[in-house]
Amino acid sequence: MVKLGMCYEQGVGVEKNVEEAVRLYRQAVDMDEPSAMVKLGMCYEQGRFVEKNVEEAMRLYRVGVEKNVKEAVRLYQQARAMDEPSAMVKRRQHNRVNHRLWSSLGCATSKAWVWRRMWRKRCGCIGRQ
């Protein structure tokens, strides 16, 4: 259903009809389709084809995070980071949390980052980079 919605959204194989695309995304969300939650959340967050509603986008992303959808995790973290102050300390804390979360979901790059960070802390060279 999500793929059909994407076809309507982009006009691939059918006439472009964004209202139909959003309707199909909503139906897929009602059927607990994780990728539909991401697509509809992006529509709400950016105000594409629907009225902009960041709270609804965050709700959809949260449900996607609970279902371990990597794209939903990334979008949820980005949306949360925009709401918080952009101080360097906050960014570093978010990076640590993001890497730990991504490594738990199987991201090799984040696993390597967490491992290096733990090793530096253990050998006492955490200040040097």
Side-chain angles (χ1 to χ4, degrees), residues 7 24 29 44 54 67 76 83 85 87 92 125:
C7 288
L24 288 168
V29 166
Y44 276 118
V54 178
K67 295 181 182 287
Y76 180 72
D83 288 341
R92 286 185 187 148
C125 61

Side-chain angles (χ1 to χ4, degrees), residues 1-6 8 18-41 44 50 56 59-60:
M1 196 165 283
V2 176
K3 289 186 180 184
L4 182 59
M6 290 170 63
Y8 274 108
V18 293
E19 291 85 13
E20 182 66 16
V22 171
R23 188 185 69 75
L24 288 168
Y25 292 152
R26 285 188 180 132
Q27 276 185 345
V29 166
D30 291 341
M31 296 183 341
D32 278 343
E33 179 64 38
S35 58
M37 293 172 192
V38 172
K39 291 295 280 182
L40 191 57
Y44 276 118
V50 293
E56 180 64 16
R59 185 189 70 76
L60 289 166

Side-chain angles (χ1 to χ4, degrees), residues 18-114:
V18 293
E19 291 85 13
E20 182 66 16
V22 171
R23 188 185 69 75
L24 288 168
Y25 292 152
R26 285 188 180 132
Q27 276 185 345
V29 166
D30 291 341
M31 296 183 341
D32 278 343
E33 179 64 38
S35 58
M37 293 172 192
V38 172
K39 291 295 280 182
L40 191 57
M42 287 181 359
C43 289
Y44 276 118
E45 183 181 15
Q46 298 166 1
R48 279 188 7 223
F49 319 129
V50 293
E51 188 175 326
K52 187 173 183 173
N53 186 344
V54 178
E55 290 82 22
E56 180 64 16
M58 292 292 282
R59 185 189 70 76
L60 289 166
Y61 293 155
R62 254 185 264 116
V63 174
V65 168
E66 291 167 4
K67 295 181 182 287
N68 289 330
V69 179
K70 288 185 180 183
E71 183 70 9
V73 171
R74 183 182 67 78
L75 291 168
Y76 180 72
Q77 290 171 343
Q78 277 181 348
R80 279 192 52 208
M82 286 183 190
D83 288 341
E84 297 183 8
S86 61
M88 190 60 95
V89 174
K90 284 282 188 185
R91 278 196 213 136
R92 286 185 187 148
Q93 288 173 350
H94 282 299
N95 284 341
R96 263 185 242 129
V97 170
N98 291 350
H99 279 295
R100 285 187 185 131
L101 181 62
W102 277 100
S103 68
S104 71
L105 292 173
C107 176
T109 305
S110 289
K111 281 183 181 179
W113 186 91
V114 170

